[in-house]
Amino acid sequence: MINTVTIVGNLGNDPEIRYTAQGVPVANFNIAVNENYKNKEGEKVKKTHWFKVTAFQRLAEIVGEYCAKGSKVGIRGQLTQRTWQDAEGANHSVVEIRTRELELLSGKNGNGAAAPELTDAAEAVGTAAIDDDIPF
């Protein structure tokens, strides 16, 4: 089976970086992807899709170092579903993208350092023509 997803969008928040008990870095963040189209009446419509994303190890470190709210990134990874039970016994489930490849598309970040074009990934995600506006 194939389980691969590729998206290009903007971070909706600063990434949250934490470490597992074994010291493995984990980055959690949300990516907004805009969809623009014309409805039946010919009016332009802008719809934003939100994706939960997780990166591990070196990719998590790169996200933490080079990305912030509004940064444009391209990611490729796989969809995963996590389920858990909270303290009150309620069941929860979330589908997220586990990043395998990352491309930083914003140019310069807030501290003036040039962002690298590609991380440890073997190939570039590529750029997609999307609206630069983000929903915040």
Side-chain angles (χ1 to χ4, degrees):
M1 283 201 289
I2 296 175
N3 179 2
T4 302
V5 62
T6 303
I7 62 171
V8 175
N10 298 84
L11 269 70
N13 56 342
D14 289 338
E16 175 189 321
I17 309 299
R18 58 184 175 79
Y19 295 86
T20 66
Q22 296 78 27
V24 176
V26 180
N28 294 96
F29 51 100
N30 295 309
I31 295 181
V33 177
N34 293 325
E35 175 184 9
N36 297 302
Y37 61 93
K38 289 185 180 181
N39 63 16
K40 292 178 183 178
E41 292 77 34
E43 301 166 331
K44 290 183 180 180
V45 177
K46 181 177 177 180
K47 185 174 183 181
T48 302
H49 303 278
W50 287 96
F51 298 90
K52 290 185 176 294
V53 182
T54 302
F56 293 90
Q57 299 177 346
R58 183 65 184 133
L59 285 179
E61 293 172 342
I62 291 169
V63 168
E65 185 175 345
Y66 292 101
C67 296
K69 180 178 179 178
S71 297
K72 183 177 281 190
V73 296
I75 65 163
R76 180 173 292 149
Q78 66 186 40
L79 291 176
T80 60
Q81 182 176 13
R82 289 188 300 120
T83 57
W84 69 97
Q85 195 171 58
D86 65 19
E88 289 79 37
N91 293 324
H92 299 273
S93 178
V94 64
V95 175
E96 61 190 5
I97 301 170
R98 180 169 291 174
T99 305
R100 299 285 185 230
E101 301 175 26
L102 168 75
E103 186 173 357
L104 304 173
L105 302 171
S106 288
K108 297 216 179 230
N109 65 9
N111 66 12
E117 291 182 17
L118 191 64
T119 66
D120 300 337
E123 62 188 62
V125 173
T127 58
I130 64 169
D131 192 346
D132 285 339
D133 293 336
I134 47 181
F136 42 85

